[in-house]
Structure formats: structure tokens, C-alpha cells
Amino acid sequence: MFVRELNDALSSVKGAGPAVLARLARLGLYCASDLLLFAPRAYEDRSQKRLLGSFAQGPVNCTATVVAHDWFGFGRMRTLKLWIEDEEGTRAALVCFNRAFLEKQFPPESRVIVFGSFEYKYNDLQSANFDIDALTDGQDYRGSGILPVYPLTEGLAQGTMRKLAARAVSLWSAVDDEIPTSIRAARGLLSMSAALRFLHQPAQEQDAQHARKTLAYGELFYLQIMIARRALERRREPVARTQNLAAQPGRLANALIERLNFSLSADQLAVLAEIRADMSGDYPMARLLQGDVGSGKTLVAFLAALDVIEQGGQAAIMAPTELLARQHAETAASLLEPLGVRLAFLSGNVADAARKPLLSALGSGDIDLVIGTHALFSADVCYKNLRFVVVDEQHRFGVLQRLAMGSKGERPDVLMMSATPIPRSLALTVYGDLSVSTIKTMPKGRKAIITHLAKQGNESRVYEFVRKRMANKERVYFVYPLVERSDRLELKDAEAMFHKLATEVFPEYKGGLIHARLSEQEKRDTMAAFKKGDLSFVVATSVVEVGVDVPEATCMVIEHAERFGLAALHQLRGRVGRGQLQSYCFLVWSENLGDEGKKRVMA
């Protein structure tokens, strides 16, 4: 049987009672295959002896004798100390927080095996993070070998997790190999049974690495099979085409190009030609259009949609947020309605009174282009002749949402767009069933965004800089990771900082607040005022990450920048630099920034 088909209940594992099963469920572990494939986050090498006197070189791993018990604190805070002594006579204290039961388990004169990190504290060598076991006859410090360290949840101890995983391996690890023998031999991979055993019970650390390599290859193997099947499914039978767009572009698209007050870039023309070649081919298009923020992807999508509309088909453009979808709809109204294109906007917030006639018009073909959120593919939405689907910021949608698009029409052409850069090799791996087009150049006149790093505490210099920009009628974004104050996180929040910026820092300028908890109408009104120039600055969360287009916005200030991912930082910075003016992005980082945060901010 395949490991992915092992649906045996975990209740058959000794020690997995109702309470433990509930905790395993919090980790996403429900059946045998879940537990077998639950990879440790690290491994502890307990095969090497290290006495107490060598604690600075790594975790102590040795046999010792319990020489005394001691207590400190009062009442519920009363805590046990076990004093131990190793073979060299070095003494140390084991601080047993919430482990008073160890007093009876390890009385004085007990022989034990101790593993843990030690340090000098309060003039004593001690550890509060340790494992202790009774030493049995003939056993030494090497008895544990290499032990897995699992991700845990509250109430689930590391020892319990190790026992459950070991029992699962004993019960179920004899599984069939999913990877053909010839491929395993060529790639130097383990059998599935060996990989599962070494994942949880490696004899040496190299065994665990070999197991991880085998299991990772298996995941990629099935990903590629799934991608190949999707590509074959799309080519199961040809589709009827009424016009060869590659040879003769549509009249409507040409009319739009003539109305523009700028010329398309060479990259825009090139990717448009690739899209038209796909839309003239024998099979439905499936293409990913990459391009940096502001490179002109949406205009290319509009031109392709016009080609379909001219042939009597319908087009749909889906965006991840209502804010971005409405912006696309407003842009489409200014560009496409003068050409006679019948437009509509649909989201989950459209009232029933307007929704019913809109759905009726979609079903009868009286709407050429509909723009909206995932509501475009709700069960009650029907199209007369959906031929072209555009998914903006495609990485924000799940697989099932993307699959739902194709079910609304007769195998429509699909164009996915993303401003998050994906290296070509990775794109071919993850989107192997898609053709990839890339817009590398920005529109003429755009200037590179100048990015500055600022340490928390130096915000006043940033504020003075952006004040000069606002005095020049330019506009500014301030972005924070939280909507409101958190008792657990010492981070600035949007609501408190809006009040501070509006009343203390920039009282001479009018600002607005925008975050996900506000209604869609409030968010629209704030962004409309910002775009019009009635607001000089906007304080926001990452809700402005995608699609907001205000050419007069020239400064983006991101506080606690280390709390945002690389893609989010890239997208947020892309909210400025969308006009002819020089634009700036300030990443304000915290003093206690870790190594990973530093790498992200520096990148």
C-alpha cells in the first residue's frame, strides 16, 4: 500500500488516548500517513559523551549521580533542584520547573543519564532545559543515540511524540515504493520503508538527511506528475477558433492602442504577441504573465480581452481584493467603455437588488467584460460564452479557486498575472503546465525607487523627509503590521499611529486610515480621497499591498519592516514610483532584529 493511502486511525497506537489525539489534531495529524510523514525539525546527537566541565562546547551528555535535593521559592512557585555529580566530580543543579515529581523518581544516590544545555547562573552551573533518565544496568551515555526533535503543541511532550512516532514506524512503515526502482537507483534514493524509518530513527545524522532527500524527491515527483496530467487534460481535444489573432489582431485592441497617450513597451508588445499566438492555437491558453509592479500587465490583459470580445466572447478579470478589483473596473471604464464594451463589477458586497439583474445580463451575454473578486466564480454565476479568464495576483488564490474558473466556460483561455518575481527555473517547476511570459522593462519615464533603511528611533528624520514631499503636493503611505495594539506584541499599530501622525507629527496635513476591518465603502472613500489629493497621507496595514495605483504617491514608509515577507515588501514598495516623480521607500526596522529579519530587510 502507498503511504498516502494509510488512513488507519491513530487511536490504534499505544499511548494515543483521546487527550493525545486532540493534541495531535492541532498539529494536523489524523491518520497513520500523517504521523509517518511528520518530519522532525531537528535532531539531537546523544551518541557523543560530553561531561559537565565541557558544557561550553555543546549540550552535556553523560552519566551522573544524584547527590542531593534542594528547593527554592514559596507556595505555588516552590521549585525543585536536583544536584548531580559526574565522573570527574563536577557538580551542577537541574532546575525542575513544574517537575516536582522528579523528587521521588530520582532520590539521592540515583544513577542517571543527563542531556541538556548548561550555563553558570547565580554562581552555580545549572540547567532548566534538560532530559533525565534512570541509568539501567549496562547502559551508558550512548543509549539514546540520535533523537528526533519534533514541532510540538501545548500539552504534548517531546518524549510522548518520540514514542508515538516510533510505534507508528513499527506498525506501518512496511509500505510499497511509490518511486520506480530505476529512478531510485539513478537518484541514490532510499526505499520508502527505509526513508520513513531513518526519518524518525536515524542511526547517524546522514541517515536523516538521506531520508529527507528521498521524501522531498517523492513530493516533487508527484507534483510534476500532477502538472503533466493537467497539461495533458488541457490538450485532450482542440477548441474552435474563429480568428487567427497572431496574423490579424483585433480592431478593438488597435483602437485602444491609438487612444493611449503613450506607446506600448517592446516587452508589452512581445508578451501580447505570445498571448495572441496561444489564443489562436488548437488548445486553450494557460499562461503566466510576470512583470514588476507598474510594468503594464493589466493593459496587456485588457487588449487580450478586447480580442475575445470582438469575436463575440465574454471575458472575466478576477482580483484578490475588492479594492484592487474596483480599481481595475474604474480603469477599464475609462479605457474600454468609449469603445462600446459593456462592463460590470461583481463582488460579494454587491446587493441582491443589483446582483440579480447583473447575473441575468451575464447569462444572456449582455455583459462583455466582468471584473470582480472570487465572487465571479460563485455557484450561482453563469456566463453565456466565457472565453477568457484573467487572474490578477494569482498567488493569492488557492488551487480550488483557480480550478473553478475553467468550469464556468467551454474551456476558456486563462491568463494568470503576478508581480512577485519568480525565477524561471522555479516557475517551470511550480507552473510546468503554464507558458511563462515576462515584462522586464518599465514604462518610459519611470524612475527607480530609492530604498532607505532606518533604525527604529530615527523615525523623526524620516518624518522630516516626507514632510517636504507633502509640502510639494506629493502623497505618502505609512504601513504597520497591526490594526490595533496587541498585549502580546510590542509593535506599533495603524490605529494608534494614525492618531499620532495626524495630531502630533503632521497636524498641518490631512490623513486617512485604511485597514481590513473597515467596510469596503470606507476603504473606497479613503482611497478615492487620497487619489484625488484631499488626503496627503494614508496610514494602513498590508491591505494596500496589491494594486493601489496613485501616481502622485512618492513615499512608502514601512515600520517594523522585518515583520513582512519579501513578497509583501516588494509589493508594498510598488505602490510608489508609478508616476514621473522620484519615489522613495523607507524600511524602518526594530533594534532587536534577528538574523533572518536582517537578511530580508537587506534583500
Side-chain angles (χ1 to χ4, degrees), residues 1 6 27 69 76 86 90 114 130 163 172 183 188 243 258 304 312 353 366 390 488 493 511-512 532 552 566 570:
M1 63 188 142
L6 275 171
L27 293 172
H69 291 175
R76 296 178 62 184
D86 68 10
T90 305
V114 174
F130 62 89
K163 290 176 182 177
W172 297 306
I183 294 180
Q243 183 178 346
E258 291 173 1
D366 291 334
V390 178
R488 295 186 299 107
D493 62 276
K532 187 179 177 183
E552 295 79 14
L566 271 178
H570 181 74

Side-chain angles (χ1 to χ4, degrees), residues 401-515:
Q401 288 173 311
R402 295 201 293 264
L403 289 176
M405 302 163 200
S407 65
K408 291 297 183 179
E410 281 296 322
R411 302 169 68 205
D413 293 309
V414 177
L415 178 67
M416 298 185 180
M417 303 195 300
S418 178
T420 303
I422 305 172
R424 181 168 178 78
S425 57
L426 181 60
L428 290 174
T429 300
V430 181
Y431 303 111
D433 59 331
L434 303 178
S435 301
V436 180
S437 294
T438 305
I439 300 177
K440 298 179 181 179
T441 56
M442 298 295 284
K444 289 182 179 180
R446 295 283 178 90
K447 298 177 181 178
I449 301 167
I450 298 175
T451 305
H452 292 285
L453 304 183
K455 194 173 183 179
Q456 198 169 16
N458 295 332
E459 299 95 327
S460 59
R461 296 173 62 185
V462 176
Y463 296 160
E464 284 306 310
F465 182 90
V466 300
R467 175 178 276 107
K468 295 176 182 177
R469 305 271 73 78
M470 288 191 285
N472 197 36
K473 305 298 183 183
E474 298 170 31
R475 281 155 238 168
V476 182
Y477 294 99
F478 291 92
V479 176
Y480 299 88
L482 301 178
V483 172
E484 59 186 14
R485 182 179 177 276
S486 168
D487 293 331
R488 295 186 299 107
L489 301 173
E490 294 183 5
L491 301 173
K492 295 180 181 179
D493 62 276
E495 290 186 341
M497 287 306 299
F498 170 66
H499 178 75
K500 179 177 179 178
L501 292 173
T503 60
E504 299 178 24
V505 183
F506 305 115
E508 69 272 35
Y509 294 105
K510 190 174 181 182
L513 176 66
I514 182 170
H515 55 70

Side-chain angles (χ1 to χ4, degrees), residues 79-126:
T79 301
L80 171 69
K81 273 188 182 180
L82 295 181
W83 288 92
I84 61 171
E85 183 178 290
D86 68 10
E87 62 190 57
E88 291 185 340
T90 305
R91 289 197 175 196
L94 303 178
V95 184
C96 308
F97 291 113
N98 300 315
R99 289 198 274 181
F101 59 87
L102 295 180
E103 179 187 26
K104 293 182 179 179
Q105 195 169 343
F106 300 105
E109 306 302 325
S110 299
R111 294 284 290 156
V112 295
I113 299 176
V114 174
F115 180 89
S117 299
F118 284 74
E119 63 178 340
Y120 269 104
K121 200 170 184 180
Y122 307 119
N123 298 318
D124 290 320
L125 180 61
Q126 59 179 267

Side-chain angles (χ1 to χ4, degrees), residues 137-192:
D137 292 340
Q139 189 181 13
D140 64 11
Y141 62 89
R142 289 183 292 270
S144 299
I146 307 294
L147 289 186
V149 180
Y150 295 95
L152 298 176
T153 187
E154 185 178 358
L156 190 62
Q158 198 65 244
T160 302
M161 195 69 220
R162 286 170 181 154
K163 290 176 182 177
L164 293 174
R167 289 165 185 164
V169 169
S170 176
L171 281 172
W172 297 306
S173 66
V175 296
D176 294 339
D177 287 304
E178 300 167 313
I179 308 297
T181 304
S182 59
I183 294 180
R184 283 193 289 114
R187 301 289 184 181
L189 305 176
L190 298 168
S191 67
M192 181 58 72

Side-chain angles (χ1 to χ4, degrees), residues 509-567:
Y509 294 105
K510 190 174 181 182
L513 176 66
I514 182 170
H515 55 70
R517 295 183 188 174
L518 299 175
S519 69
E520 289 298 330
Q521 186 61 52
E522 288 176 299
K523 287 187 281 189
R524 287 201 304 272
D525 291 345
T526 299
M527 289 312 303
F530 185 59
K531 191 168 186 176
K532 187 179 177 183
D534 294 340
L535 301 178
S536 296
F537 66 91
V538 162
V539 177
T541 58
S542 59
V543 70
V544 297
E545 177 185 325
V546 293
V548 178
D549 187 5
V550 181
E552 295 79 14
T554 60
C555 288
M556 166 65 68
V557 180
I558 307 172
E559 298 214 41
H560 298 293
E562 74 279 359
R563 306 290 298 193
F564 297 86
L566 271 178

